Amino acid sequence: MSNELTVIYLAAHERACQHFLGNSAIRTLWRALSDVTDALITDLHTESKAKGVTIIAVGGYGRRELLPFSDVDLIVLVEEKAEDPEAIIPWLYPLWNLKLHVSHAVYTVEEAVEAAKHDHTICTSLMDMRLVVGERALATKLKRDLKAIVGSHMLQFVEAKLNERDARHEKYGDSRFMLEP
């Protein structure tokens, strides 16, 4: 990554945080940090010349609710399974070098759909997906296929989420106000 991208990102991140401290509008901070992270990932993706790679933001980042030190959760969609999935993500290293907490998974659309079928946590995360950079058609296909899964298994999905909530409440003192210990 060019030193210029690092300087631009860090300056924009700092401006967003300073604006928040003077304005105290949390939604403004969420959006600003999401936007600057989108721009950085887009620039890195473009620099890497990665072909057939679509980057999807999920979770809080997908909802554009990014805070300083939040995880940057990404799904890397590829058109077909790569021999070496790690070879398609060299653009991630600069993000880690910036000390961003990036987590990622590399999937084809079919693999993402299959993962969502078997893991309600992945399914929930994908519900908040948002295209950052890449092929809009891949992201649209994933969103359409995900809706079909959730729609056809709605009762099981809701039951799994309720069980997850109950387990979390039991583990952390049965308080709805404690998301993390």
Side-chain angles (χ1 to χ4, degrees):
M1 169 170 77
S2 71
N3 197 27
E4 184 181 347
L5 280 181
T6 301
V7 170
I8 291 168
Y9 171 78
L10 292 174
H13 191 279
E14 181 63 22
R15 272 193 312 276
C17 291
Q18 290 303 319
H19 180 71
F20 167 71
L21 292 174
N23 183 10
S24 66
I26 193 68
R27 289 186 199 288
T28 303
L29 179 63
W30 290 344
R31 298 285 171 134
L33 293 180
S34 296
D35 289 348
V36 72
T37 303
D38 285 356
L40 177 63
I41 290 171
T42 299
D43 288 347
L44 291 171
H45 178 269
T46 301
E47 268 188 12
S48 76
K49 298 178 176 63
K51 300 278 190 246
V53 174
T54 297
I55 303 168
I56 306 289
V58 295
Y61 178 40
R63 291 187 305 274
R64 296 185 71 204
E65 295 178 354
L66 201 58
L67 288 167
F69 311 109
S70 288
D71 291 349
V72 176
D73 297 325
L74 302 170
I75 297 293
V76 180
L77 284 180
V78 293
E79 293 177 22
E80 55 189 50
K81 190 67 174 172
E83 292 283 322
D84 178 13
E86 297 303 308
I88 63 171
I89 55 167
W91 50 269
L92 274 175
Y93 299 113
L95 299 174
W96 290 323
N97 290 343
L98 282 168
K99 306 289 190 255
L100 295 179
H101 302 280
V102 179
S103 62
H104 73 285
V106 178
Y107 293 124
T108 63
V109 170
E110 295 75 20
E111 290 169 333
V113 168
E114 197 60 31
K117 280 182 188 175
H118 300 291
D119 186 329
H120 67 273
T121 304
I122 293 172
C123 187
T124 303
S125 179
L126 286 170
M127 287 180 171
D128 294 320
M129 73 176 158
R130 178 176 56 81
L131 176 66
V132 175
V133 63
E135 297 295 323
R136 182 167 302 283
L138 274 179
T140 301
K141 180 172 176 21
L142 177 57
K143 189 172 274 196
R144 185 182 62 239
D145 292 355
L146 181 66
K147 279 184 178 179
I149 290 170
V150 173
S152 66
H153 296 92
M154 183 61 75
L155 291 177
Q156 295 95 326
F157 177 76
V158 171
E159 184 177 320
K161 295 308 292 179
L162 290 172
N163 288 339
E164 179 184 285
R165 181 211 52 201
D166 292 345
R168 185 178 62 245
H169 284 198
E170 186 175 309
K171 183 175 181 179
Y172 298 115
D174 201 25
S175 173
R176 72 178 75 187
F177 302 107
M178 285 187 64
L179 290 176
E180 298 181 23

